[in-house]
């Protein structure tokens, strides 16, 4: 470790130990949570920069505090790069994360009681798409669509259209956090246009794949709005962003909704890190990275198929796999998460479509390749990781076997250290 934490070390031993403990955990294990990644040193430097000191409510050229010479530079760079990367006319780069980005869109465009049509959480949607436990569900009315067939992952577009005709949503929302196939964007946009609804894509999981042109760009298919986080496949700092394809009216409503409607001052150090991350994502190396994420996920899929483990959607077309480990191996999602954690593989338990088990101990595990691809893993290493996972699950009570597998994980981690730079 460099002298990176010299001041914390002297000043606050407990925090220092937690930071260095996490550093070791990340270095020695392998990160398979599909919504996590390793950022570059440049992103971390910007994230830890002096801009954390500054208040800058408002937008470039229209702030409520003085001293904005450099904040405006940062925010303008971030906006310009975001628009270019995703082919959008407008970008708001201030959302603190993905949930606030989605919420700000709802408040920008809806009145209390208005309806949103989104993907069911248990079929891959996200909490902020109106799950009953969220505050948004108390304010707006959320109705749902599902997959037609969890074995293929195809969305039931016919039912989606019928529900839309019946429920008259103001927003038709595509996007997911546990879905492994590509959506038919044209169908969403056609239905929204037919019914005069706004089309919104939550691309949090796949923004990096879109930026790297490894998957289709929903904005090319006419989506009005695209929200995302910046810390998943996009490999940037923890944060969010809202892109508007072309409507100035929508963009203005969203800007007002973020500030002053919902958030206070933007986190300018994070905006600086977003600008750096977007700069990285514009480089040719990022395209290679995004494509490798998909190849690596496919390599893991092959191994899971070979071992006859059921995958929701029948496999993957993106960066993640949702495997029914309870149905296939009799190991619950929670047991699987724990067993794999013990050998240095981090992933998360996840409900599967129409899960017979409870959310806190579901049937599935969700894992993906964005982070290990950042470490330089190719198909060969990903196949090995998949084999290790399955062997560990089959031997979850065999401590000798698990020790052996842990050593293999350590060896791989050592061979592929977390890189400092990508461009
Ligand atoms: N927590 C994120 C994920 O893991 O998908 C989404 O909010």
């Amino acid at each position: 470790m460099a002298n990176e934490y010299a001041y914390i070390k002297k000043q606050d031993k407990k925090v220092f130990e937690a930071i260095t403990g996490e550093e070791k955990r990340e270095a020695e294990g392998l990160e398979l949570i599909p919504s996590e990644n390793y950022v570059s040193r440049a992103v971390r430097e910007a994230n830890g920069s002096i801009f954390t000191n500054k208040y800058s409510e408002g937008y470039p050229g229209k702030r409520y505090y003085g001293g904005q010479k450099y904040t405006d530079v940062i925010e303008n760079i971030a906006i310009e790069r975001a628009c270019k990367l995703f082919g959008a006319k407008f970008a708001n780069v201030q959302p603190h994360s993905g949930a606030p980005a989605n919420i700000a869109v709802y408040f920008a465009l809806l009145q209390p009681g208005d309806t949103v049509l989104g993907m069911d959480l248990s079929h891959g949607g996200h909490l902020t798409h109106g799950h009953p436990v969220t505050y948004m569900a108390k304010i707006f009315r959320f109705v749902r669509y599902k997959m037609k067939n969890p074995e293929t992952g195809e969305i039931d577009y016919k039912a989606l259209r019928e529900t839309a005709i019946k429920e008259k949503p103001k927003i038709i929302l595509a996007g997911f956090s546990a879905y492994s196939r590509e959506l038919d964007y044209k169908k969403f946009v056609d239905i929204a246009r037919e019914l005069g609804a706004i089309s919104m894509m939550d691309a949090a999981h796949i923004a990096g794949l879109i930026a790297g042109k490894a998957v289709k760009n929903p904005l090319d298919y006419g989506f009005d709005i695209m929200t995302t986080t910046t810390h998943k496949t996009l490999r940037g700092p923890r944060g969010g962003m809202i892109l508007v394809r072309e409507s100035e009216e929508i963009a203005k409503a969203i800007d007002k909704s973020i500030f002053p409607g919902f958030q206070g001052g933007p986190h300018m150090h994070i905006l600086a890190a977003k600008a750096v991350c977007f700069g990285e994502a514009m480089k040719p190396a990022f395209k290679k990275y995004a494509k490798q994420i998909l190849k690596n996920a496919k390599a893991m899929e092959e191994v899971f198929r070979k071992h006859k483990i059921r995958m929701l959607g029948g496999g993957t077309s993106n960066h993640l796999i949702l495997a029914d480990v309870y149905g296939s191996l009799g190991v619950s999602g929670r047991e699987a998460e724990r067993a794999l954690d013990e050998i240095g593989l981090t992933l998360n338990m996840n409900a599967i479509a129409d899960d017979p088990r409870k959310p806190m101990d579901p049937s599935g595990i969700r894992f993906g390749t964005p982070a290990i691809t950042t470490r330089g893993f190719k198909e060969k290493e990903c196949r090995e990781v998949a084999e290790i996972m399955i062997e560990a699950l089959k031997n979850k009570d065999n401590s000798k076997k698990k020790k052996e597998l842990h050593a293999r994980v350590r060896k791989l981690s050592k061979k592929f250290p977390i890189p400092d730079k990508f461009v």
Side-chain angles (χ1 to χ4, degrees), residues 33-36 99 126-127 176-178 204-205 229 231-232 348 366:
I33 294 176
S35 49
E36 294 188 12
H126 189 252
L127 274 177
F176 46 79
S177 63
H205 262 258
T229 51
H231 50 267
K232 298 188 175 92
N348 63 283
R366 187 189 68 154

Side-chain angles (χ1 to χ4, degrees), residues 135-149:
Y135 291 148
M136 289 310 106
K138 295 192 201 310
I139 299 170
F140 306 112
R141 212 179 130 251
F142 290 87
V143 288
R144 329 213 161 272
Y145 56 86
K146 290 186 171 190
M147 286 183 277
K148 186 165 151 190
N149 178 2

Side-chain angles (χ1 to χ4, degrees), residues 322-361:
L322 183 55
D324 177 4
V325 282
Y326 186 73
S328 303
L329 298 168
V331 181
S332 79
R334 179 181 280 279
E335 287 172 325
E337 179 187 299
R338 193 172 301 151
L340 296 172
D341 199 43
E342 280 166 13
I343 62 159
L345 296 176
T346 310
L347 46 65
N348 63 283
M349 61 178 174
N350 211 102
I352 59 169
D354 310 314
D355 203 321
R357 298 178 62 86
K358 296 205 164 67
M360 285 314 287
D361 193 7

